[in-house]
Amino acid sequence: AKKRGRNNFQFFTPELNRVADERLNIEAAMRVALDTGGFEVHYQPKVDRARRVTGVEALARWTHKELGPITPDRFIPVAEETGLILPLTLAVLRQAFAAGQRWNRERQSPLRVAVNLSAQLFLTDDIVGHVAGLLEQTGLSARQVELEITETVFLGDNDRAVTILRDFKALGLSLAMDDFGTGYSSLGYLRRFPLDTMKIDRSLVTDVEREPEVAMIARAAISLGKSLGKTVVAEGVENAAQFDFLALHGCDEFQGYLLSRPVPEAAIDELLAQHAAI
Ligand code: C2E
Ligand code: CA
Ligand code: CA
Ligand code: CA
């Protein structure tokens, strides 16, 4: 092997080699899955304070023939490092927009569809053009689509990020800040960027009904979002005590296992047919 600087030494430990091998395997398998329609989308409902379904979040799902289900926590980072995040996101957007159109035909009130966008997509690709093209192809209204982004978008080229977010807004899409409360960047972006929604991270929801400090931080986050005029959504709501606490303190919408796990498209149909509210 070539002589390496001291800082590279750690790359040759067996543990890291094993991790690197797994990544290569996942990458190769992902390429096949992307070519063969192997990625599916599950949908998790969001409800308002009266527990009426207002929309769904699209979440990528992948079951490999031999390896079985592979969770997003394993394949999303690989996709982000290899550039496969673009074709993967386009596959999710295409399925989610088509589902949105189908729900439109079957329901009186439209369901909002949210899709996650990785920060990597803001760096290189014409992501706005891709989203606009898919809206046109499927005929779904931009008003029905929300894009969920994380604070990492603001770590890179801020001017570029602002431009892209403004372009999305100009198309009529809504923008949500995902995982709010886990971040490391300054809060200044809340003023500078055109965000409609703040999603309070699950780490501020878990134990909110039991831990006074978690409760205090969650209340501060909700009140910050509300005073900036955002729609505030809580994620990871697992029990009624959490729902009630968050509702009492001003949360607008709720998402989590209490309401429903992420489910296939057909199961959303059943869920909507059975309950006006869940
Ligand atoms: P996220 O965007 O924060 O999505 C919420 C995650 O929390 C989902 O995990 C969901 O299944 C899970 N969850 C929802 N309610 C509850 C609850 O009550 N309790 C608990 N314990 N968990 C709950 P999932 O589907 O495994 O996705 C994990 C992450 O992977 C997502 O976090 C998102 O960052 C990423 N991801 C998934 N699909 C996509 C995608 O299509 N594109 C991108 N860029 N990222 C995606
Ligand atoms: Ca999300
Ligand atoms: Ca989230
Ligand atoms: Ca999260």
Side-chain angles (χ1 to χ4, degrees):
K2 270 205 320 205
K3 199 176 162 209
R4 302 263 174 167
R6 201 188 278 164
N7 292 337
N8 290 326
F9 184 74
Q10 57 177 338
F11 285 118
F12 297 100
T13 65
E15 168 59 13
L16 283 167
N17 270 335
R18 197 188 57 68
V19 171
D21 278 353
E22 195 203 61
R23 298 207 145 202
L24 279 177
N25 289 338
I26 289 188
E27 180 186 349
M30 274 188 86
R31 289 186 190 278
V32 174
L34 284 166
D35 283 343
T36 54
F39 284 94
E40 289 175 63
V41 181
H42 282 192
Y43 300 90
Q44 186 177 39
K46 302 179 191 183
V47 305
D48 64 15
R49 299 159 70 89
R51 298 203 185 195
R52 284 181 302 251
V53 179
T54 57
V56 296
E57 177 176 0
L59 293 157
R61 291 290 179 265
W62 181 23
T63 302
H64 189 272
K65 277 192 199 72
E66 282 112 48
L67 304 172
I70 302 175
T71 59
D73 291 340
R74 283 174 72 203
F75 66 78
I76 294 288
V78 177
E80 290 175 344
E81 281 166 26
T82 56
L84 292 176
I85 192 67
L86 179 63
L88 172 61
T89 302
L90 297 181
V92 172
L93 286 164
R94 196 174 291 118
Q95 292 179 55
F97 287 4
Q101 272 296 56
R102 219 172 48 73
W103 290 319
N104 280 346
R105 289 193 290 273
E106 292 163 8
R107 285 167 54 87
Q108 298 96 321
S109 54
L111 270 190
R112 178 168 280 180
V113 180
V115 178
N116 294 284
L117 285 195
S118 293
Q120 279 77 2
L121 295 170
F122 284 62
L123 300 178
T124 49
D125 311 293
D126 174 23
I127 188 61
V128 179
H130 283 295
V131 171
L134 286 171
L135 285 172
E136 210 169 275
Q137 275 175 40
T138 55
L140 188 70
S141 161
R143 311 250 158 248
Q144 260 177 273
V145 178
E146 185 154 74
L147 302 173
E148 299 193 0
I149 58 172
T150 60
E151 284 179 20
T152 43
V153 161
F154 309 128
L155 294 181
D157 181 348
N158 261 330
D159 292 337
R160 188 181 165 90
V162 176
T163 305
I164 293 175
L165 294 179
R166 294 224 170 103
D167 288 349
F168 277 134
K169 289 303 301 170
L171 281 176
L173 296 133
S174 343
L175 300 173
M177 172 56 47
D178 208 349
D179 301 341
F180 185 77
T182 58
Y184 23 72
S185 62
S186 86
L187 292 173
Y189 69 81
L190 286 176
R191 194 170 58 81
R192 189 153 171 243
F193 293 88
L195 303 165
D196 305 279
T197 303
M198 262 173 50
K199 296 189 77 178
I200 309 282
D201 190 65
R202 171 152 55 91
S203 59
L204 295 182
V205 171
T206 305
D207 294 335
V208 76
E209 77 283 25
R210 286 191 297 206
E211 294 279 348
E213 285 182 345
V214 175
M216 211 162 60
I217 298 169
R219 283 173 64 175
I222 296 167
S223 119
L224 179 62
K226 291 314 294 177
S227 53
L228 289 167
K230 317 288 182 200
T231 299
V232 176
V233 181
E235 59 179 26
V237 180
E238 294 187 353
N239 63 50
Q242 292 165 355
F243 185 104
D244 293 343
F245 179 92
L246 295 160
L248 179 70
H249 292 289
C251 234
D252 302 295
E253 295 185 13
F254 311 83
Q255 191 180 349
Y257 295 168
L258 172 68
L259 295 321
S260 167
R261 294 197 171 241
V263 294
E265 188 181 328
I268 288 284
D269 294 351
E270 282 165 36
L271 218 135
L272 294 170
Q274 283 166 14
H275 314 270
I278 55 176

